[in-house]
Amino acid sequence: MGAVDLARWQFGITTVYHFLFVPLSIGLSAIVAGLQTAWFVTKAQRYLTLTKFFGKIFIVNFAVGIVTGLIQEFQFGMNWSAYSRFVGDIFGVPLAIEGLLAFFLESTFLGLWVFGWDRLPRAVHLGCIWVVAIGTQISAYVILSVNAWMQHPVGYRIDPATGRAELTDFTALLTNPVAIEAGLHTAAACLLTGGALVAGVAFWHLARPKATEAARAAFRTAAKVGSSVVVVAALGVVVTGDSMMKLMTQLQPMKVAAAEGLFDTEQPAGFSLLTLGTADGRRELWSFRFPDLLSFLATGSFTGKVEGVNQLQHKAVAAFGPGDYVPNVPVTYWSFRLMMGFGLLAAFLALVGLVVLRKPGLLANRWVPRVALTVPFLPLLANSFGWLFTEGGRQPWLAYGLFQTADGVSPGTAAWQVVVSLGVFTLVYGVMAVVELGLLRRVARQVPDLPPGDGDGADLVPPGRDSGDREADEADRPITFAY
């Protein structure tokens, strides 16, 4: 492989690795805020306990996510300086906003939340975690608006003297239809990811004999909350994904054709659940397909026309000159299906979990803890394959229709240099993965210390004290990491 291919591998690895932490932080921040709100309203002890329990997991994941994000930024200067020069005037403003406003907003109020349990009024303290949750959404949307510009450039001009893209309309950048659709889709996916982690950890504890009855009651609540969030979020992912597919057909029809492996225009076009083809992905040998479904997904009509790869290649040559404008079809095809498959499987297991909660005897089944440990990884896989599809299906463009990937690599970059940096990054990320998994494992295995009862400890109050005194003591206790 040459420098371009290796640089793409390095950027892909660092981006996908970073995105393992981002949706988990976004989803968990909202769920933790919801749990603390439930405690603020109901004063039920189990909600406070769950807030602190999953708050620890959120803090660990947030911290590691910051480090991976900083490393990812090095890519622009190391391997992609030519592209950075081209889009610097476009990306500078939104990236500055994300760093100076959204990121510092999250970090500041997260610090207030962590250390403010015994110092801030409860309403103010609750507001801190909601600011964090909202800040993560703002941060994600700003970054997505940058990526959306790469998918569908808007609000810019090309300086004829320098050949660089310049931002002319910041509002157009933020209201890019791709950014809006991607923002909604990503927000739903993040909630699905956070809910899956909460449900998985809760069901694992419910299947263990070590937990006290009060702790089991609390985790039963967590399992119900997590599973419900996954199911509702999955519906949001499906609805927003359908809308994105139709927008993609208008703006990036080649990506849609590659996602189906459709080489010739069809009307109507079927959707294949499974296809076996030639090694180059250019010809279908066998497939299992649903008639007319791709037409509906792409156009909203079961009789709609979907253009094929070959026809779109001819159009691209006519518009941009000679070249190969077809992405890697097998990668685009399978990443699209694996994205949907893992996400739908997570939603299905969440529905099964809600059924299991109604029949507690099923929790004794030896498969419950095993399945529970796999559930949190399913949305992470779906998210990763979703990014592979989004970015791989856009090739050979970095900025669609404006700037090709082969032109974006830093001048003079040698393949061996990228190999060295790729090896270093892989080693660093491997160490960080061990640290992250070790910390999460330790935190998740802890059994909350709850008084006996129904999970909120309302029936066990020492003489001379009321439940409000006990709740005040617990609320004033800061989050600690006692292993």
Side-chain angles (χ1 to χ4, degrees):
M1 290 186 291
V4 174
D5 293 325
L6 288 168
R8 288 182 61 192
W9 269 99
Q10 182 168 301
F11 197 90
I13 290 172
T14 53
T15 301
V16 170
Y17 190 87
H18 176 59
F19 201 67
L20 294 175
F21 305 97
V22 171
L24 195 54
S25 291
I26 295 174
L28 275 179
S29 65
I31 293 174
V32 170
L35 290 170
Q36 186 170 346
T37 302
W39 169 70
F40 183 83
V41 173
T42 67
K43 301 298 187 292
Q45 183 72 15
R46 63 182 179 275
Y47 289 121
L48 176 60
T49 301
L50 292 174
T51 298
K52 292 193 172 186
F53 180 85
F54 289 105
K56 294 179 183 179
I57 297 177
F58 166 62
I59 293 168
V60 170
N61 189 78
F62 185 87
V64 178
I66 291 174
V67 179
T68 60
L70 292 175
I71 294 175
Q72 184 191 14
E73 291 184 0
F74 294 158
Q75 302 298 306
F76 292 103
M78 291 175 57
N79 296 336
W80 301 96
S81 63
Y83 182 58
S84 298
R85 282 193 294 270
F86 177 73
V87 296
D89 292 337
I90 302 290
F91 290 0
V93 174
L95 290 179
I97 290 175
E98 192 276 334
L100 297 176
L101 175 62
F103 174 72
F104 280 105
L105 187 74
E106 300 163 38
S107 301
T108 301
F109 281 89
L110 180 60
L112 290 172
W113 184 75
V114 172
F115 299 105
W117 283 96
D118 57 345
R119 295 175 175 85
L120 297 175
R122 295 189 185 182
V124 174
H125 187 261
L126 173 62
C128 289
I129 189 61
W130 274 113
V131 171
V132 173
I134 295 171
T136 60
Q137 293 288 351
I138 296 174
S139 179
Y141 185 81
V142 173
I143 294 298
L144 287 171
S145 69
V146 171
N147 182 266
W149 189 90
M150 297 168 64
Q151 309 289 339
H152 176 54
V154 295
Y156 73 97
R157 63 180 286 270
I158 301 296
D159 188 325
T162 63
R164 299 175 59 187
E166 296 180 349
L167 185 64
T168 60
D169 190 344
F170 184 63
T171 302
L173 179 73
L174 293 181
T175 58
N176 188 333
V178 177
I180 295 173
E181 296 290 350
L184 295 173
H185 190 64
T186 302
C190 291
L191 285 173
L192 194 156
T193 305
L197 180 95
V198 171
V201 171
F203 274 108
W204 183 79
H205 276 282
L206 289 174
R208 298 179 71 207
K210 293 184 179 181
T212 64
E213 185 55 39
R216 290 175 63 82
F219 280 119
R220 198 172 292 116
T221 299
K224 185 180 298 184
V225 169
S227 298
S228 300
V229 168
V230 170
V231 172
V232 174
L235 292 175
V237 169
V238 171
V239 172
T240 56
D242 176 72
S243 181
M244 283 190 69
M245 184 73 168
K246 292 172 173 57
L247 181 63
M248 192 189 310
T249 303
Q250 301 174 27
L251 303 178
Q252 294 183 356
M254 180 67 83
K255 184 184 293 186
V256 175
E260 176 52 34
L262 184 70
F263 283 91
D264 293 303
T265 302
E266 293 184 10
Q267 185 179 9
F271 179 83
S272 61
L273 185 63
L274 175 66
T275 295
L276 298 179
T278 57
D280 60 1
R282 294 281 180 172
R283 187 166 59 87
E284 177 186 305
L285 299 177
W286 175 87
S287 66
F288 175 78
R289 61 179 57 248
F290 299 97
D292 308 342
L293 182 57
L294 181 62
S295 289
F296 176 77
L297 294 175
T299 68
S301 170
F302 284 102
T303 60
K305 182 174 73 171
V306 181
E307 293 185 281
V309 169
N310 294 327
Q311 288 73 31
L312 292 168
Q313 166 67 12
H314 292 316
K315 288 186 177 181
V317 170
F320 306 112
D324 185 0
Y325 300 95
V326 181
N328 188 311
V329 174
V331 171
T332 307
Y333 178 93
W334 286 110
S335 60
F336 183 60
R337 278 149 186 79
L338 290 171
M339 171 190 67
M340 294 190 296
F342 284 120
L344 291 174
L345 181 57
F348 171 75
L349 291 178
L351 284 172
V352 172
L354 291 173
V355 173
V356 169
L357 288 174
R358 298 178 65 88
K359 299 180 180 181
L362 295 176
L363 290 171
N365 190 296
R366 62 190 178 92
W367 284 100
V368 170
R370 299 176 183 179
V371 174
L373 290 176
T374 64
V375 169
F377 293 96
L378 297 176
L380 296 177
L381 290 170
N383 296 333
S384 298
F385 283 113
W387 270 115
L388 288 175
F389 168 70
T390 300
E391 301 304 296
R394 189 188 63 239
Q395 299 304 316
W397 301 103
L398 277 175
Y400 197 81
L402 291 180
F403 197 91
Q404 293 198 18
T405 303
D407 300 324
V409 177
S410 301
T413 300
W416 71 267
Q417 294 172 321
V418 185
V419 169
V420 171
S421 60
L422 178 57
V424 172
F425 282 163
T426 301
L427 179 62
V428 171
Y429 278 174
V431 172
M432 292 174 59
V434 172
V435 172
E436 162 90 353
L437 290 175
L439 288 174
L440 290 181
R441 180 176 179 273
R442 289 184 177 185
V443 174
R445 286 172 63 89
Q446 296 176 14
V447 179
D449 184 17
L450 275 169
D454 63 357
D456 61 8
D459 60 337
L460 192 70
V461 182
R465 293 168 58 85
D466 58 25
S467 60
D469 295 329
R470 192 204 63 249
E471 289 168 355
D473 290 345
E474 176 65 19
D476 290 342
R477 190 178 304 149
I479 290 180
T480 58
F481 290 89
Y483 300 149

